[in-house]
């Protein structure tokens, strides 16, 4: 794999966020936006992703991509062990099988949502909506961040 030489040091925090959002969109919702394909487990080839980003005026190097993955506070992305594949770790609206192992959950999990969603939730319960799963968090802080993206946050204990 062709790798850059620590070019990520040159991107700003804002650029990191912008590129992370682009990767989230492509790897979670619309791979066709960049002309890439995801396999059944959501993986795509890193070299092809970087090439397609470049073809769409987003010239970034592997080191930059790795920095974005490593510094994402929500751990939205992961690489394969040999760094040849990348995928989104959660929140897909396209069908993928992440092959997570079953684990015993904590006694309490948290769901962050916006206050304006509460009437539908009271009526219908927690729904995955356009995603594959309902997002639950192990801590209130993460749930709060999720909830505030769409309005006044509400945190539910599950």
């Amino acid at each position: 794999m062709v790798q850059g030489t620590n070019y990520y040091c040159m991107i700003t925090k804002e650029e990191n966020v912008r590129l992370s959002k682009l990767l989230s969109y492509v790897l979670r919702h619309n791979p066709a936006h960049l002309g890439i394909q995801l396999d059944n487990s959501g993986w795509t080839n890193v070299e092809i992703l970087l090439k397609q980003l470049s073809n769409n005026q987003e010239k970034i190097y592997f080191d930059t991509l790795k920095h974005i993955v490593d510094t994402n506070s929500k751990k939205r992305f992961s690489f394969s062990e040999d760094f040849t594949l990348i995928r989104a770790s959660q929140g897909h609206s396209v069908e993928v099988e992440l092959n997570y192992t079953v684990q015993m959950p904590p006694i309490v999990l948290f769901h962050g949502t916006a206050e304006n969603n509460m009437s539908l939730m009271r009526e219908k319960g927690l729904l995955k909506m356009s995603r594959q799963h309902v997002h639950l968090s192990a801590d209130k802080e993460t749930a709060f961040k999720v909830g505030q993206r769409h309005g006044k946050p509400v945190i539910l204990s599950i």
Side-chain angles (χ1 to χ4, degrees):
M1 174 179 307
V2 177
Q3 296 185 12
T5 310
N6 294 323
Y7 288 103
Y8 66 81
C9 297
M10 300 175 85
I11 68 169
T12 63
K13 181 179 179 182
E14 292 77 18
E15 186 72 353
N16 189 323
V17 169
R18 186 184 71 77
L19 289 169
S20 179
K21 287 182 179 183
L22 174 60
L23 288 171
S24 287
Y25 175 67
V26 170
L27 296 176
R28 295 165 70 186
H29 307 297
N30 189 2
H33 178 76
L34 287 181
I36 64 168
Q37 293 183 343
L38 305 179
D39 71 11
N40 291 342
S41 298
W43 296 105
T44 194
N45 182 281
V46 170
E47 287 187 35
I48 293 171
L49 174 65
L50 292 172
K51 180 179 182 242
Q52 291 303 102
L53 283 164
S54 180
N55 289 344
N56 284 274
Q57 276 53 122
E58 297 291 349
K59 181 67 176 166
I60 67 171
Y61 296 92
F62 175 79
D63 287 346
T64 304
L65 181 63
K66 186 169 184 325
H67 176 72
I68 293 166
V69 171
D70 290 347
T71 60
N72 187 274
S73 63
K74 295 181 182 176
K75 304 294 180 207
R76 284 196 168 130
F77 316 106
S78 59
F79 285 110
S80 60
E81 287 184 21
D82 63 1
F83 294 94
T84 60
L85 302 173
I86 187 172
R87 73 176 178 184
S89 303
Q90 61 194 15
H92 295 81
S93 59
V94 295
E95 191 167 331
V96 297
E97 179 51 58
L98 296 175
N99 298 317
Y100 287 142
T101 57
V102 175
Q103 297 180 1
M104 182 62 75
I107 292 172
V108 177
L109 289 167
F110 302 96
H111 179 75
T113 191
E115 186 176 62
N116 58 358
N117 295 330
M118 289 305 298
S119 61
L120 178 64
M121 293 174 95
R122 283 186 188 100
E123 180 183 333
K124 306 245 181 196
L126 283 176
L127 302 173
K128 67 181 181 87
M129 305 305 280
S130 64
R131 305 285 173 93
Q132 287 194 325
H133 305 280
V134 172
H135 184 269
L136 300 175
S137 304
D139 59 89
K140 288 181 182 180
E141 180 181 324
T142 302
F144 182 84
K145 287 178 184 176
V146 170
Q148 74 180 2
R149 291 185 308 186
H150 302 288
K152 185 177 177 185
V154 174
I155 301 170
L156 304 174
S157 297
I158 310 296

